[in-house]
Amino acid sequence: MLDDFMWRATLAGLFVALAAAPLGCFVVWRRMAYFGDATAHAAILGVALALVFNLSMFAGVLMVALTMASCVTLLSGRGYAMDTLLGVMAHSALAIGLVAVSFISGVRIDLSAYLFGDILAVGKDDLWVIGGGTLMVLTLLGWRWSALLTATLSDELAHASGIQPRREQLVLTLSLAVVVAVALKVVGVLLIAALLIIPAATARPFCRTPEMMALVAAGIAALAVTSGLKAAYLFDTPTGPTIVTLAAGFFLLSTIAMQGVRYLR
């Protein structure tokens, strides 16, 4: 029934929005946008491995996303600029994944569903996985929120407070990998980073505290998901790109509003 798949799509989108928005705040604060993009690009390689070894898609993507994030963390500061390292690893993983998928025989794969998402095809099992991943991310962020904020402000301040910055980086890495794994079905590899960054960037000018920014970003992401689903249904457009387009529209409106406020002052 129409209502069934639309309700599943809406719930899946809201789950991803609730997980991605608070995490996206840390991505914005730490200027990790390219890090998130690199982890998302590696997801296609995870899809290929899941199909080859008959694993669940979530497990394959999570494994590769964690490996990518861990490799970047280990190799950073060893003779390569971070943006160079991320660029090489992101595009290499995406290319290797696409090539690997082409060699899989006997399986018909709709690559566009993985690149741009296929939220309307979310099933009950997918919904449980997405909900579980969202709960994991929110639990991690809630547990380490204060420590993450301190480590984000300054490594020296973190050390003085008895906090290990690399441990907090690991928490963010794990959370980012889980979000990539659960968001693949909703917005796809090429749009995951946008759903992480855009709501947080939209909320930032209007919030005075980190907690408020996380809540406002979650609200903006949820509004983009619900509005995007409705617009995609009405205008017969790709759902994932439509959601991100509306999020980008909210960012544009917030930018115009802030410029207007500054002009009036």
Side-chain angles (χ1 to χ4, degrees), residues 23-175:
L23 182 59
C25 293
F26 284 101
V27 170
V28 170
W29 292 330
R30 286 174 170 251
R31 299 181 180 179
M32 292 172 58
Y34 208 5
F35 187 89
D37 204 34
T39 307
H41 276 60
I44 286 294
L45 181 56
V47 171
L49 291 177
L51 292 172
V52 169
F53 295 105
N54 197 27
L55 302 171
S56 74
M57 205 63 64
F58 176 79
V61 172
L62 180 61
M63 179 175 62
V64 171
L66 281 173
T67 302
M68 165 68 79
S70 300
C71 286
V72 170
T73 301
L74 289 173
L75 292 174
S76 61
R78 299 194 178 188
Y80 296 98
M82 180 60 79
D83 60 343
T84 301
L85 187 62
L86 287 172
V88 169
M89 296 189 71
H91 298 296
S92 297
L94 178 60
I96 292 169
L98 290 172
V99 171
V101 165
S102 70
F103 281 109
I104 299 174
S105 59
V107 179
R108 297 187 63 183
I109 303 168
D110 181 12
L111 279 178
S112 64
Y114 295 113
L115 293 175
F116 302 107
D118 191 11
I119 190 173
L120 297 180
V122 169
K124 291 182 179 178
D125 291 340
D126 296 322
L127 199 56
W128 280 107
V129 171
I130 294 171
T134 297
L135 181 61
M136 183 188 302
V137 171
L138 292 178
T139 300
L140 271 174
L141 292 180
W143 173 44
R144 303 303 304 171
W145 183 263
S146 180
L148 284 168
L149 284 177
T150 304
T152 298
L153 287 172
S154 167
D155 284 352
E156 290 76 13
L157 181 60
H159 284 301
S161 303
I163 296 168
Q164 298 178 18
R166 292 189 70 85
R167 182 181 61 192
E168 305 314 316
Q169 176 70 33
L170 182 62
V171 171
L172 282 179
T173 297
L174 175 60
S175 300

